[in-house]
Amino acid sequence: MVRSPKKAEENEPREVSRARLELAAFGSTRAVTNGQLTKSEVWWSLHFEWLKSRGYLLRPRYAPGWVPSWIGTKRNMFLCEDGRSSKLATTLLDATRISDGAYVVLKIIKVSDHPHEVEIGRMFSAAPLSTDPANHCVSIYDVIPVDEDQDKVIIVMPLLARYISPPLCTIGEAVECFRQLFEGLQFMHRNRVAHRDCMTMNIMMDPSKLYVDPFHPVHPLMKRDFSGYARFKTRTQCPVKYYFIDFGLSRWYDPSISNPLEVPIWGGDKEVPEFQNNNEPRDPFPTDVFYIGNAIRKDFVEPNHGLQFMGPIIADMVQEDPSKRPTIDEVVTRFEIIRKSLGPWKLRSRLADKQENMLENAILTVSHWTRQLRYVAKHLPAVPLPPS
């Protein structure tokens, strides 16, 4: 005799019943409409209580029994805090650390795919390396095994923001950004770690002092509660520290191996010359130099006026032949000479977008120098150094 669906549901194990009910509440894992959770978001919602028991609270969108806040109202779903899905939820989601209210990011790592990520992250997060001012590697606060999948762990990190948003305002702010990136890569190489994917999306900043209002982790332009636009200060007012994230492709090499060779593996930047139609093993350290040089070229030098002084060093960093690129030690030495050659008014000059028209440029320049004169009166330095 075939059991009715109702009888089958009554005889379900408690865990299966709970999962079925939550899936019903959160919507289909296949068809996603009207703000329902995506398939990857459903995974997080099903682990809401478990993560809470481990000390991490997800936003209301992922809570058991979540009812969209716009239901029964005339509010626009896209203007509600819980109305937007997280595009990165396959591996990443924000949370609040219950013990102190700190905003964090949870990242799922498949250990078989990235066997060195936790090890390298922990190495940089532990003393004595964690206290080195030159360390610009994101900290790992916690590592949580996923009970039902021994191949997965969740690492907990601080909530960071894209390193170029909000935009930088002055040449001096850009110079300090470059200094920290070079310093951070030099630190990694000095400790025999090649990042192997230090492109734009894997460079972040600590926004905690920069923002007046906590920003929404999915839509940083908005306040965390979506009550309006998030206010922020300039980096001259509130200097920031920059960080490298994502050590999934990173490798540590024994100091006895001066020139390690690795089969090319594609990171996020597809312009690496040595990887074009070539599977020849390569030294990953010069490739890191290309990644940083290309990020600065694409994000700063090409779209903005006033950074011509970076042209020669960036051109050398992105040379097609890896053997002709400077080492990161040489980059740091050359950049220090460049930095010292820049006067205070050059450093306070506006980082102007090349796409601005004449009227925009004139209006923004007047506003910029009015603000800079206030900074001079307050003795704010032209190159904003964050606290060490």
Side-chain angles (χ1 to χ4, degrees), residues 271-316:
E271 298 184 7
V272 180
E274 54 265 39
F275 293 174
Q276 307 297 328
N277 303 316
N278 192 338
N279 288 322
E280 178 186 349
R282 297 283 189 167
D283 184 343
F285 290 103
T287 304
D288 276 359
V289 171
F290 176 91
Y291 277 132
I292 292 298
N294 207 35
I296 292 174
R297 177 173 66 173
K298 296 289 187 179
D299 293 337
F300 291 94
V301 177
E302 290 183 350
N304 295 296
H305 290 292
L307 295 172
Q308 296 87 345
F309 57 86
M310 291 296 294
I313 190 172
I314 295 301
D316 286 347

Side-chain angles (χ1 to χ4, degrees), residues 200-382:
T200 295
M201 298 305 295
N202 288 333
I203 303 171
M204 307 289 279
M205 69 166 178
D206 176 5
S208 57
K209 299 293 190 295
L210 192 65
Y211 277 84
V212 178
D213 309 297
F215 64 90
H216 195 276
V218 177
H219 300 280
L221 288 177
M222 301 298 292
K223 293 181 181 179
R224 191 173 180 87
D225 62 2
F226 254 62
S227 62
Y229 290 111
R231 297 169 297 166
F232 53 86
K233 298 183 179 180
T234 68
R235 298 171 205 225
T236 300
Q237 293 172 295
C238 297
V240 302
K241 185 168 182 177
Y242 298 91
Y243 290 91
F244 293 110
I245 65 167
D246 194 351
F247 305 119
L249 302 182
S250 303
R251 296 291 184 273
W252 174 85
Y253 301 98
D254 190 280
S256 64
I257 305 175
S258 57
N259 297 106
L261 297 177
E262 292 278 4
V263 175
I265 183 169
W266 284 107
D269 186 341
K270 308 305 181 187
E271 298 184 7
V272 180
E274 54 265 39
F275 293 174
Q276 307 297 328
N277 303 316
N278 192 338
N279 288 322
E280 178 186 349
R282 297 283 189 167
D283 184 343
F285 290 103
T287 304
D288 276 359
V289 171
F290 176 91
Y291 277 132
I292 292 298
N294 207 35
I296 292 174
R297 177 173 66 173
K298 296 289 187 179
D299 293 337
F300 291 94
V301 177
E302 290 183 350
N304 295 296
H305 290 292
L307 295 172
Q308 296 87 345
F309 57 86
M310 291 296 294
I313 190 172
I314 295 301
D316 286 347
M317 293 174 71
V318 299
Q319 289 190 83
E320 186 169 341
D321 185 347
S323 66
K324 294 182 180 180
R325 295 172 199 154
T327 66
I328 191 59
D329 288 338
E330 292 168 339
V331 169
V332 168
T333 299
R334 286 178 58 182
F335 180 73
E336 184 61 18
I337 295 172
I338 294 171
R339 190 180 68 84
K340 288 182 177 179
S341 72
L342 302 173
W345 292 110
K346 172 66 174 179
L347 292 167
R348 291 190 186 277
S349 296
R350 190 167 72 88
L351 195 62
D353 192 321
K354 290 180 180 178
Q355 293 186 353
E356 293 173 0
N357 60 42
M358 292 181 63
L359 179 60
E360 289 174 325
N361 183 272
I363 293 172
L364 292 173
T365 297
V366 170
S367 174
H368 170 81
W369 281 112
T370 300
R371 184 168 58 246
Q372 289 302 311
L373 291 174
R374 290 201 300 268
Y375 293 167
V376 171
K378 293 180 179 179
H379 303 289
L380 297 180

